[in-house]
Amino acid sequence: MTKKYDVIVIGAGPAGMTAALYASRAELSVLMLDRGVYGGQMNNTAEIENYPGFKSILGPDLSEKMYESSTQFGVEYAYGEVQDVQVDGDRKLVKTADDEFEAPAVIIGSGSEYRKLGVPGEEQYGGRGVSYCAVCDGAFFKNEDVVVVGGGDSAIEEATYLANLAKKVTVIHRRDTLRAQKILQERAFARDNIDFIWNTNVTEILGNDQKVSGVALKNNQTGETSEFPTAGIFIYVGILPITGAFSHLGITDEQGWIVTNDQMETAVPGIFAVGDVRKKHLRQITTAVGDGGVAGQAVFDYVESVKSK
């Protein structure tokens, strides 16, 4: 049986939870779907220092607080990975492996996932030394040498976190300067047990069939190759939108990001998008929350217009 709501929110990250809060507070019936634990990538963040109201807060703790707030006005929360969204006029059908839901409005907040290096050994040693989450796996490498690949905010934040656990952290970056915020760079440079290898790409992840033992490197300026021993490799080389289930709707750009206007409306009436899945410059918790608030109000206006027909 198809379950009906006023609004279906796909994704329970900060954007989706805020949208659900606003829509439910406006007395719309709201279903919030997520394929994992609510909070999204906040659960993989050790410490959040740039969310107003908290000098510092652990990512999982902020996820829990947001969830409690977002569900206080009757939001129904369910696990499910969305496989398809169909549009039939004012009706939107959202299908998971086990269920089908219907609503006049859908808010997509499916977020993004970490980009992989795509090198030999990455898949083979997944969970055996290859990680994309320092908070999740850092404790397994206490007092060992580890590598972080990347030069953006996530890479440098997680390198600094790992420095509290690992004996030594080596950041490998394909450029000669970091892209991370200056305050994050300064913290990393100040740590005695964080080193940097510049202008270098990881070409292979090496191991002994049981776990990671090192990485193969190539200097992209000189062409010199080498091997670097490590117990673990943490990869932060960008993100990709999770939009496979929506690509047929004509709402994404060539990279897969969903295009919206400033009201979070896509090219399909009644379908909105919020958070990291949107095509935009800054992807932060604060911007995700802002997106959610705008969409929550816009979706109320849209649902009311449908009901008045």
Side-chain angles (χ1 to χ4, degrees), residues 46-183:
E47 192 172 13
I48 296 169
E49 299 178 316
N50 57 356
Y51 189 73
F54 299 96
K55 183 177 180 180
S56 176
I57 186 170
L58 298 177
D61 290 347
L62 184 56
S63 298
E64 191 66 37
K65 291 180 181 295
M66 282 194 180
Y67 178 74
E68 292 174 358
S69 175
S70 68
T71 55
Q72 64 180 308
F73 296 107
V75 170
E76 183 178 331
Y77 179 73
Y79 290 102
E81 184 164 3
V82 174
Q83 298 180 336
D84 189 25
V85 175
Q86 296 293 328
V87 179
D88 180 15
D90 291 334
R91 298 171 63 241
K92 316 296 187 300
L93 297 176
V94 176
K95 299 179 181 180
T96 67
D98 302 315
D99 296 293
E100 182 175 284
F101 308 97
E102 178 185 329
V106 170
I107 301 174
I108 301 171
S110 50
S112 58
E113 58 190 354
Y114 290 114
R115 184 190 300 272
K116 296 185 177 181
L117 286 176
V119 300
E122 185 172 16
E123 295 291 341
Q124 180 181 355
Y125 293 107
R128 292 186 290 164
V130 174
S131 176
Y132 307 88
C133 176
V135 176
C136 308
D137 301 325
F140 295 119
F141 300 92
K142 192 171 183 179
N143 298 321
E144 298 196 69
D145 293 344
V146 299
V147 159
V148 171
V149 182
D153 286 355
S154 294
I156 304 310
E157 280 180 331
E158 301 313 294
T160 305
Y161 172 79
L162 287 167
N164 296 315
L165 301 169
K167 180 181 178 182
K168 181 180 178 182
V169 179
T170 301
V171 177
I172 300 173
H173 187 37
R174 61 179 179 168
R175 298 186 174 94
D176 59 0
T177 57
L178 300 174
R179 294 177 291 110
Q181 298 174 57
K182 290 297 182 182
I183 189 172

Side-chain angles (χ1 to χ4, degrees), residues 154-305:
S154 294
I156 304 310
E157 280 180 331
E158 301 313 294
T160 305
Y161 172 79
L162 287 167
N164 296 315
L165 301 169
K167 180 181 178 182
K168 181 180 178 182
V169 179
T170 301
V171 177
I172 300 173
H173 187 37
R174 61 179 179 168
R175 298 186 174 94
D176 59 0
T177 57
L178 300 174
R179 294 177 291 110
Q181 298 174 57
K182 290 297 182 182
I183 189 172
L184 301 178
Q185 294 188 39
E186 290 167 2
R187 290 174 183 171
F189 291 142
R191 298 297 293 261
D192 293 336
N193 63 336
I194 298 181
D195 287 342
F196 295 84
I197 297 177
W198 307 103
N199 295 317
T200 298
N201 297 91
V202 174
T203 58
E204 185 177 356
I205 297 171
L206 309 172
N208 55 15
D209 292 331
Q210 297 299 317
K211 60 181 181 179
V212 167
S213 62
V215 289
L217 305 178
K218 182 177 182 179
N219 186 293
N220 55 42
Q221 301 296 306
T222 66
E224 180 183 358
T225 61
S226 60
E227 292 186 2
F228 189 85
T230 186
I233 176 171
F234 292 81
I235 301 169
Y236 301 96
V237 291
I239 57 175
L240 296 170
I242 302 173
T243 52
F246 322 116
S247 58
H248 64 287
L249 296 173
I251 59 177
T252 60
D253 68 4
E254 58 275 11
Q255 281 82 43
W257 301 104
I258 297 180
V259 179
T260 75
N261 61 17
D262 60 2
Q263 294 300 303
M264 308 301 136
E265 297 169 317
T266 70
V268 177
I271 296 184
F272 303 76
V274 294
D276 284 2
V277 77
R278 284 183 62 223
K279 182 178 182 179
K280 60 179 182 177
H281 175 65
L282 185 63
R283 295 183 174 90
Q284 296 283 294
I285 299 172
T286 50
T287 62
V289 167
D291 288 356
V294 172
Q297 180 59 45
V299 80
F300 171 78
D301 295 335
Y302 178 82
V303 172
E304 288 296 295
S305 70

